[in-house]
Amino acid sequence: MKKLIIAFAISSFVTTIVNAQTISNKATKESEYEKNYKIIMISDSIQSYIKEEYNIEKTFSDIYPEYFGGVYISEDGQNVILQIVEKNIPEIGSDDYDIYNKLVNFDDLVKTEFVENSFNELNKINNSVSDYLISEKSSEIIIGSYVDVVNNKSVVEVTGTNPTVQRALLNDISFYRKKLKQSAVNYVQVDVPTLNSEIIKAGGTILGMPVDYDYAVCSMGFRTRFANKDGYVTAGHCIKGAQFVESGQVLYSQFADNGYFDYGFVATNNDFSPSNSLAFPSNDGSVKTLAVVNSCPTITVNMQVAKSGRNTHYTEGKVTGLNQTVRMKVDEIGNETVTLKGLVKTNLENGAGDSGAPVFIPRTDAEGGAIPLGVLSGGSDGFLGIGRTMYFTSINDMYSDIQLGRY
């Protein structure tokens, strides 16, 4: 009898330790989410200040001051890094210097880093590559391009590593647009990503557009109102060309080869009621709903993000590139491709059927839930997860009615 009592006591003690450890781990994770959110909001504030002072409405086409190189979050998530082109620092006493001085002293968590290339130069190169990619002269070797703020480069993504071919491509691109600064370009070999819709005969969270005798099966994004109708946002390619889908009426779809962004809106019918609850919460259960907010923070490289999709469920990662132009396969087994522009690049795990899934800043329900950032478009697995990509359309690039209609 004593052995049984001792065994029960030991079992209870172990259970108490396990429960305490679970609570501790959850509290630690929640603390990390809040630190991440604080850094994101500092990044958002400093970039909003720059845009306000220089009347910048379109991040990747308007002109920034030449001393500005970019903004990103440090790899450890502890600081906002403000990049400055030292040779272009404005003269003391000028209006530009007053703005510059406020930027470099914006917050104790903002650290200055001197770089060679201005954000304007990186934008110019990236936009030139983007224009070339959708031109008649475009080479199939190029998969995409994006602004790599961390390394102060414009990245050209290619399927091969032959340096001779790369130099020829850059010369071709320069000829097509304007002479480009070759030292500001990096070439990176990547896999060809795929739009993450899935063709099956039945089942799935969202049955989208008809495909032969089947349907595109995707994920719901976030709940909102558009044209005075309740409904949800998903990937535009999931509902392209459809007037009605199982869950309601398609009121808008933005998705076209050589076009910007990939999103659309479905006004739900009486059989479906969209919810802010995540279909697949975080593993510890702390992140389980989307917050109802009327704004979306500025997307910054290295900011921590997450997604919840019908295939790969809840996964976390980081933003790795901005203003991505990318050529993607329409499906995994076909040769048809589509080129999309203006996407955000991340390293999150994703797969077929995740298209349209919400991408968000992970936060706990106690603080209002996860902050929606956009909807998933496609990606690739990389090699054993190395080089993995996932692309999404930011809410900031959607119609203002969709941004403000969340409920």
Side-chain angles (χ1 to χ4, degrees):
M1 184 67 179
K2 288 182 179 180
K3 289 183 180 180
L4 289 175
I5 293 174
I6 293 172
F8 176 76
I10 292 174
S11 175
S12 299
F13 179 66
V14 171
T15 301
T16 300
I17 292 176
V18 171
N19 289 338
Q21 185 65 47
T22 301
I23 294 172
S24 176
N25 290 342
K26 185 174 181 179
T28 300
K29 195 67 175 178
E30 291 178 359
S31 176
E32 289 177 0
Y33 288 152
E34 293 311 304
K35 288 180 180 178
N36 174 61
Y37 183 69
K38 178 181 179 181
I39 287 292
I40 288 173
M41 295 315 294
I42 292 174
S43 170
D44 176 67
S45 295
I46 195 170
Q47 292 181 82
S48 295
Y49 174 70
I50 295 172
K51 291 177 180 178
E52 180 180 347
E53 291 297 322
Y54 290 99
N55 298 316
I56 294 168
E57 295 181 358
K58 297 181 179 180
T59 302
F60 299 102
S61 59
D62 288 347
I63 304 300
Y64 284 77
E66 285 298 318
Y67 63 78
F68 177 69
V71 173
Y72 69 94
I73 295 171
S74 61
E75 185 65 32
D76 61 8
Q78 300 300 307
N79 297 102
V80 174
I81 310 301
L82 170 65
Q83 294 179 324
I84 298 294
V85 181
E86 189 172 14
K87 63 183 179 182
N88 294 334
I89 293 176
E91 293 183 5
I92 297 176
S94 65
D95 291 341
D96 269 357
Y97 185 83
D98 291 342
I99 299 172
Y100 161 79
N101 192 48
K102 183 169 182 178
L103 287 172
V104 296
N105 295 287
F106 200 87
D107 190 281
D108 290 342
L109 295 178
V110 177
K111 305 300 180 184
T112 301
E113 175 182 79
F114 292 119
V115 293
E116 178 66 24
N117 304 305
S118 70
F119 195 66
N120 291 331
E121 184 69 48
L122 300 182
N123 272 341
K124 171 188 170 185
I125 295 170
N126 189 60
N127 291 337
S128 295
V129 177
S130 178
D131 288 345
Y132 172 79
L133 191 60
I134 63 175
S135 73
E136 293 180 358
K137 296 185 66 176
S138 174
S139 168
E140 293 294 325
I141 295 172
I142 297 183
I143 298 302
S145 67
Y146 66 94
V147 176
D148 179 6
V149 180
V150 174
N151 294 301
N152 193 229
K153 300 282 187 179
S154 187
V155 173
V156 178
E157 297 173 316
V158 293
T159 56
T161 57
N162 187 317
T164 303
V165 173
Q166 292 175 0
R167 283 194 296 271
L169 280 172
L170 192 58
N171 288 334
D172 203 8
I173 295 167
S174 297
F175 177 79
Y176 173 74
R177 186 76 174 264
K178 295 179 180 178
K179 188 65 177 177
L180 302 180
K181 186 177 180 181
Q182 298 202 22
S183 62
V185 178
N186 270 349
Y187 283 96
V188 176
Q189 185 175 6
V190 298
D191 295 325
V192 181
T194 306
L195 291 171
N196 281 331
S197 55
E198 181 180 11
I199 308 304
I200 60 175
K201 292 186 176 180
T205 305
I206 296 172
L207 291 181
M209 64 178 182
V211 181
D212 296 328
Y213 296 100
D214 304 323
Y215 295 89
V217 179
C218 299
S219 300
M220 172 186 153
F222 56 88
R223 187 172 71 177
T224 189
R225 293 187 178 94
F226 180 67
N228 296 319
K229 300 286 187 179
D230 293 348
Y232 63 84
V233 174
T234 187
H237 71 265
C238 291
I239 54 178
K240 179 187 177 184
Q243 291 184 320
F244 292 90
V245 293
E246 181 193 35
S247 52
Q249 183 180 6
V250 177
L251 295 187
Y252 183 76
S253 175
Q254 180 155 330
F255 172 78
D257 188 21
N258 299 336
Y260 282 89
F261 316 129
D262 180 15
Y263 73 99
F265 176 84
V266 174
T268 47
N269 55 36
N270 293 332
D271 294 330
F272 290 84
S273 179
S275 170
N276 287 320
S277 297
L278 296 177
F280 303 98
S282 58
N283 292 335
D284 64 2
S286 63
V287 183
K288 56 188 177 182
T289 190
L290 296 176
V292 179
V293 292
N294 291 329
S295 62
C296 173
T298 305
I299 308 295
T300 307
V301 170
N302 276 342
M303 67 188 283
Q304 185 182 13
V305 295
K307 75 97 181 56
S308 178
R310 66 174 299 274
N311 183 349
T312 56
H313 300 178
Y314 181 96
T315 58
E316 293 183 2
K318 291 185 176 182
V319 172
T320 57
L322 304 174
N323 196 25
Q324 173 86 44
T325 296
V326 61
R327 178 180 287 138
M328 288 195 272
K329 293 179 182 178
V330 174
D331 61 69
E332 293 183 345
I333 60 175
N335 295 318
E336 184 183 353
T337 62
V338 61
T339 300
L340 297 175
K341 300 191 289 185
L343 302 182
V344 180
K345 182 178 184 179
T346 75
N347 60 7
L348 272 72
E349 181 183 359
N350 61 108
D354 287 336
S355 283
V359 181
F360 45 86
I361 301 171
R363 296 190 79 197
T364 61
D365 298 342
E367 297 295 333
I371 308 298
L373 294 175
V375 292
L376 191 156
S377 184
S380 65
D381 292 333
F383 178 71
L384 299 179
I386 300 173
R388 175 185 288 125
T389 60
M390 187 209 79
Y391 306 96
F392 73 92
T393 296
S394 167
I395 289 177
N396 287 331
D397 293 317
M398 298 179 186
Y399 270 135
S400 58
D401 288 354
I402 287 177
Q403 297 181 41
L404 300 175
R406 284 171 276 177
Y407 70 98

